[in-house]
Amino acid sequence: MSEAIKTDVLIVGAGPCGLFAVFELGLLDVKVHLVDILDKIGGQCAELYPEKPIYDIPGIPMITGHGLTEQLLEQIKPFNPTFHLNEMIEQVEKIGDPGFRVTTDAGKVFECKVLVVAAGGGSFQPKRPPVPGIEAYEGGSVHYAVRKMEEFRGKDLMIVGGGDSALDWVLNLHPLAKRITLVHRRDDFRAAPHSVEQMRALVASGQMDLLIGQVTALEGEGKELSAATVKGNDGSITKVACNSMLPFFGLTMKLGPVANWGLHLENNLIPVDTGTFETNVPGIFAIGDINTYPGKLKLILSGFHEGALMAQKAVKYVYPEKRVVFQYTTSSSSLQKKLGVN
Ligand SMILES: Cc1cc2nc3c(=O)[nH]c(=O)nc-3n(C[C@H](O)[C@H](O)[C@H](O)COP(=O)(O)OP(=O)(O)OC[C@H]3O[C@@H](n4cnc5c(N)ncnc54)[C@H](O)[C@@H]3O)c2cc1C
């Protein structure tokens, strides 16, 4: 087990509500680490609708999902939060009153006084492709994300899919892998045109293979793959040497491990006290889409309000002796100092 990273607050989820919570906690001198399963910051705004305009952020008539994420990151810069991306929080153990030891699926351990669950609709999890018997190879030769590129050095690698993830990894892993075969069900790709062009150039110069069709069977021993069979759209059958596979079939949202942390749940949502956004476990708060209370609206602006109230209670756990005085950013020179504007 790695040495624990100690922090005042750990936030599960770097969506818009987790990000704004960093601001509200920062104004109260509370230090934050955030963990997110995704390889990017911004939650649904970044993953599901980066280019779509949002019209109901107070004071901003129109901003895209990507734009809002960028602005939130700019706003929290003075507080210098630490992000741990590509990691899922799996386990939460109580070690204090309050105090928690939190472990990710990559084995990273945090010790925090307060845990803020800003996990939205739950964890984005990869969709499993309809390949018979693929489960047997998961965690061995079949991976749904790239954690360490080195793992693919010298491998006969099959990448399946036609979106940005599939094409980006074809291009990034091409210099490392022994041979890459890209399999997609049609000869038309959703990925960025420039990536598609680069991939086609590699195919044309014989540096990788492209098969149009579907993976229908896998061969191997234990968790180790040795070959995959691809049925072409023209009916042809091709057996390809393959000892690593990366399928990219999109993401789905599931509650995931949040269900096992001892929190009360109602229809897969976490009930909270609306004065503090604390859950049934003292020291664990839930903000944003993951919580429920009478009248809840799953809107970004609701999550911002929830983050502000959560911070007022969380700070009492972090600094039990400190008297917290309510202040405006417009007029408080001490808040302006923290923001680096005075
Ligand atoms: C197409 C679309 C359009 C929308 N338009 C609007 C709009 O116009 N206005 C508006 O206000 N709202 C809109 N919404 C809703 C808005 O996006 C959500 O209310 C908002 O994203 C909720 O933010 P959040 O931070 O609570 O959660 P999310 O944005 O869902 O982020 C949660 C994050 O937590 C991570 N996570 C979950 N579990 C774990 C775990 N165990 N370990 C580590 N990380 C974890 C996830 O990977 C995710 O990144 C829209 C939603 C969609 C899908």
Side-chain angles (χ1 to χ4, degrees):
M1 197 186 270
S2 53
E3 200 179 314
I5 298 171
K6 294 197 168 49
T7 176
D8 295 336
V9 171
L10 184 69
I11 301 185
V12 187
C17 304
L19 293 178
F20 191 65
V22 173
F23 183 82
E24 291 294 336
L25 289 163
L27 289 180
L28 300 170
D29 299 318
V30 176
K31 292 275 168 281
V32 176
H33 283 242
L34 302 100
V35 179
D36 204 298
I37 299 161
L38 297 176
D39 59 1
K40 53 172 97 63
I41 294 168
Q44 294 175 48
C45 298
E47 183 63 33
L48 301 180
Y49 58 100
E51 305 293 330
K52 276 200 172 153
I54 310 171
Y55 299 101
D56 55 355
I57 303 298
I60 306 178
M62 194 285 274
I63 189 162
T64 62
H66 173 74
L68 179 64
T69 306
E70 291 293 301
Q71 290 295 321
L72 285 166
L73 280 172
E74 185 62 31
Q75 194 167 23
I76 64 177
K77 223 185 219 169
F79 304 117
N80 204 15
T82 310
F83 290 94
H84 306 262
L85 300 179
N86 263 322
E87 287 189 55
M88 176 165 76
I89 293 197
E90 263 184 353
Q91 266 183 21
V92 176
E93 281 167 78
K94 192 168 178 326
I95 54 164
D97 203 14
F100 305 93
R101 181 178 296 118
V102 179
T103 313
T104 73
D105 61 343
K108 201 176 276 173
V109 181
F110 296 88
E111 284 177 10
C112 58
K113 294 187 186 116
V114 167
L115 185 70
V116 176
V117 185
S123 30
F124 285 99
Q125 294 190 352
K127 288 187 191 158
R128 179 181 281 149
V131 178
I134 192 166
E135 301 93 307
Y137 299 99
E138 287 171 358
S141 323
V142 172
H143 308 271
Y144 295 101
V146 176
R147 284 258 154 78
K148 281 201 188 107
M149 285 175 45
E150 271 305 314
E151 280 177 21
F152 299 93
R153 185 177 291 280
K155 294 281 170 73
D156 281 315
L157 173 61
M158 181 172 280
I159 296 184
V160 192
D164 280 314
S165 300
L167 272 280
D168 285 353
W169 285 120
V170 162
L171 300 175
N172 282 306
L173 293 174
H174 170 256
L176 267 76
K178 184 172 162 203
R179 184 90 190 159
I180 291 187
T181 305
L182 174 66
V183 180
H184 185 42
R185 63 194 149 82
R186 53 201 165 89
D187 198 6
D188 180 25
F189 294 84
R190 275 174 292 112
H194 180 61
S195 309
V196 178
E197 260 170 47
Q198 284 180 281
M199 178 275 292
R200 289 204 192 278
L202 289 173
V203 174
S205 59
Q207 296 183 66
M208 62 167 281
D209 301 305
L210 169 65
L211 292 175
I212 305 302
Q214 298 198 34
V215 181
T216 52
L218 300 176
E219 277 174 43
E221 267 198 42
K223 283 192 173 293
E224 299 307 311
L225 263 180
S226 55
T229 303
V230 178
K231 185 172 181 202
N233 290 355
D234 55 0
S236 61
I237 301 287
T238 313
K239 196 161 155 180
V240 184
C242 158
N243 42 30
S244 268
M245 179 178 276
L246 282 167
F248 294 107
F249 277 57
L251 298 168
T252 149
M253 282 172 101
K254 294 200 177 129
L255 182 62
V258 178
N260 309 322
W261 300 344
L263 301 173
H264 290 163
L265 292 176
E266 264 175 43
N267 298 324
N268 279 347
L269 297 167
I270 305 173
V272 283
D273 172 276
T274 50
T276 57
F277 295 93
E278 198 163 20
T279 67
N280 62 300
V281 178
I284 303 189
F285 296 79
I287 59 169
D289 278 14
I290 193 83
N291 74 16
T292 182
Y293 51 86
K296 166 76 182 183
L297 288 178
K298 284 193 185 184
L299 285 175
I300 295 165
L301 67 87
S302 315
F304 288 172
H305 157 81
E306 295 161 10
L309 268 61
M310 170 281 293
Q312 296 293 319
K313 175 81 190 272
V315 69
K316 295 190 175 140
Y317 290 127
V318 177
Y319 301 112
E321 311 296 328
K322 194 161 145 180
R323 198 172 73 89
V324 177
V325 182
F326 175 77
Q327 299 176 86
Y328 290 124
T329 54
T330 36
S331 43
S332 158
S333 55
S334 89
L335 292 186
Q336 288 169 5
K337 205 164 159 198
K338 292 177 200 181
L339 292 169
V341 291
N342 196 344

